[in-house]
Amino acid sequence: MVKIQAKWYLYLVWIQSILAMMGSLYFSEIAKYPPCTLCWYQRVFMYPLAYLIPIAIINKDKQVWVYIIPLAVLGWLIAFYHNLLYYDILQESQATCQAGISCTTKYIEFFGFVTIPLLSLIAFTIEIGAMWLYKITISKS
């Protein structure tokens, strides 16, 4: 089996967080899709990752998972809830998005099901998985 160095998991999370940040900025600033309340909360947990990971890499902080995993998990929980609303599993009347932009407004649907909230959920899932693998790899070395 190929042994992957722990640092590559950090680079994966860093690239993923940059792509997610750039994607969300593209949707709001270039495509002019106004972000809903839940999108803003997801940004609160995604954007810091793009700055914290390179600092951890430079400082060779092996405990980076201690503060990255909680951020990613909180973002994932919000993204999961957002997807439950978006795909009508929960009713919007149960949502926190009563003022401003609706959290269920459909701006894009690639392949008929890939939406902005799903992209966020996938990004946070990749980050959590990569950081978990990083933690496991660090603990073995």
Side-chain angles (χ1 to χ4, degrees), residues 12-13 16 20 46 49 69 71-73 75-77 79-80 83 117-133:
L12 174 63
V13 175
Q16 177 60 57
M46 180 64 71
L49 301 180
I69 290 178
L71 283 173
V73 167
W76 186 91
L77 290 170
F80 182 73
N83 277 277
L118 183 59
L119 290 171
S120 176
L121 185 67
I122 291 168
F124 281 118
T125 302
I126 289 169
E127 292 165 353
I128 292 166
M131 287 309 300
W132 189 255
L133 291 170

Side-chain angles (χ1 to χ4, degrees), residues 6-15 49-62 64 67 131 134:
K7 69 178 179 178
W8 295 112
Y9 294 119
L10 291 179
Y11 287 119
L12 174 63
V13 175
W14 185 28
I15 291 167
L49 301 180
Y51 298 99
L52 293 173
I53 294 291
I55 293 169
I57 291 170
I58 290 167
N59 291 329
K60 296 180 180 8
D61 182 1
K62 293 186 186 233
V64 63
Y67 47 92
M131 287 309 300
Y134 171 82

Side-chain angles (χ1 to χ4, degrees), residues 72-131:
V73 167
L74 290 170
W76 186 91
L77 290 170
I78 295 167
F80 182 73
Y81 175 69
H82 194 180
N83 277 277
L84 292 176
L85 292 173
Y86 203 85
Y87 292 107
D88 292 326
I89 297 167
L90 293 178
Q91 297 300 314
E92 191 171 8
S93 62
Q94 299 169 325
T96 58
C97 308
Q98 297 302 314
I101 303 300
S102 170
C103 290
T104 59
T105 302
K106 294 184 179 2
Y107 291 115
I108 64 162
E109 274 192 340
F110 299 122
F111 310 112
F113 72 96
V114 178
T115 61
I116 295 172
L118 183 59
L119 290 171
S120 176
L121 185 67
I122 291 168
F124 281 118
T125 302
I126 289 169
E127 292 165 353
I128 292 166
M131 287 309 300

